[in-house]
Amino acid sequence: MADSATAPARRADLAEVGAQASICERCPHLVATRTQVVFGAGDPDADLLFVGEAPGADEDTQGVPFVGRSGRLLSELLAGIGLSRDDVFIANVLKCRPPENRNPSAEEIAHCAPWLMRQLELIEPIVVVTLGNFATRLLREDTAGITKVRGAAEIRTIGPRTVRLLPVLHPAAALYTPSNRALLEADFGLIPDLIAAGPPPQEQAVAEPEPEAPSVVEPAEDSGDQLGLF
Ligand code: URA
């Protein structure tokens, strides 16, 4: 359970944000090809938030993230640490399916990121697990690839929230290369202790400094000389 005393309000806000996202038209070419927006699913109070890449064909049809083959593996990996999909929240970097399952573009990611930031703000997870390169690069704000950083948990402030971030391989990587499953299992094995460690101290939002009054040289009275202003 997340730690805020305002959980009911956050739940209501998350539902409202989901309703707004469902009619999002920031990427007209994705609007034209999507069946529906796949906002996310699970417990809005979850301690554990997964962030994948983008909906595929099954997700686009059903409106739920990770319901295809990758999703089945995700459920198995969760079961391996005593959790089910209902215990966690699952979201993606992109809420709309890119046609032909192509990679998300930088522009699409930029358009869609504010929805993910609102999800982080309202769910208040302790642990965020990024699945694969796109989520990892976005939330670490770094170009390091997933094979380099997987399994290395770190404390990160992501937009409004300081979390324990754990990058892991995308489950699809184990569908293509079965030996990757052992790496995923090992990294999922880190999750229970990360949750048990509790939320890291939240970074206080730094107040924007008041803009300094421009230093204007007052013209000498009646001098008629404006040149000192410029
Ligand atoms: N792959 C993803 O990254 N997300 C999904 O929702 C499904 C497959």
Side-chain angles (χ1 to χ4, degrees):
M1 292 284 281
D3 57 358
S4 168
T6 61
R10 290 186 295 99
R11 276 173 182 265
D13 284 354
L14 189 66
E16 171 60 27
V17 172
Q20 291 166 7
S22 72
I23 52 169
C24 179
E25 298 194 338
R26 286 178 201 160
C27 305
H29 50 291
L30 296 185
V31 175
T33 53
R34 76 185 179 206
T35 304
Q36 58 194 312
V37 171
V38 182
F39 182 63
D43 178 2
D45 266 336
D47 290 335
L48 178 55
L49 170 67
F50 286 92
V51 183
E53 183 176 316
D58 295 318
E59 291 77 18
D60 177 66
T61 305
Q62 296 184 42
V64 180
F66 281 97
V67 288
R69 288 178 69 210
S70 294
R72 279 195 288 283
L73 177 52
L74 179 59
S75 298
E76 288 171 26
L77 290 162
L78 279 171
I81 56 170
L83 294 174
S84 78
R85 290 173 63 103
D86 292 341
D87 300 318
V88 306
F89 198 92
I90 305 174
N92 279 307
V93 169
L94 289 197
K95 311 304 189 206
C96 295
R97 181 190 183 205
E100 315 302 328
N101 296 343
R102 64 156 170 75
N103 286 341
S105 72
E107 187 188 38
E108 290 161 355
I109 292 171
H111 284 169
C112 213
W115 298 123
L116 183 58
M117 293 304 133
R118 290 292 281 143
Q119 289 174 314
L120 264 164
E121 182 182 0
L122 294 168
I123 296 166
E124 298 187 347
I126 297 172
V127 177
V128 174
V129 175
T130 51
L131 301 165
N133 266 323
F134 283 92
T136 300
R137 289 182 169 145
L138 176 67
L139 297 190
R140 293 187 74 250
E141 295 183 287
D142 190 285
T143 54
I146 189 63
T147 51
K148 189 164 167 225
V149 297
R150 56 147 280 272
E154 55 190 320
I155 293 176
R156 284 262 169 178
T157 299
I158 306 168
R161 194 78 193 152
T162 305
V163 300
R164 300 183 190 280
L165 183 80
L166 178 67
V168 307
L169 294 177
H170 194 286
L175 299 178
Y176 302 127
T177 309
S179 59
N180 280 332
R181 184 175 175 132
L183 299 180
L184 271 162
E185 286 173 350
D187 293 347
F188 269 63
L190 303 170
I191 293 173
D193 281 352
L194 290 172
I195 296 174
Q202 294 300 302
E203 232 174 53
Q204 295 303 313
V206 181
E208 288 285 316
E210 288 289 319
E212 273 183 28
S215 49
V216 175
V217 179
E218 294 291 338
E221 257 181 32
D222 294 332
S223 71
D225 178 6
Q226 297 290 306
L227 289 177
L229 289 172
F230 302 102

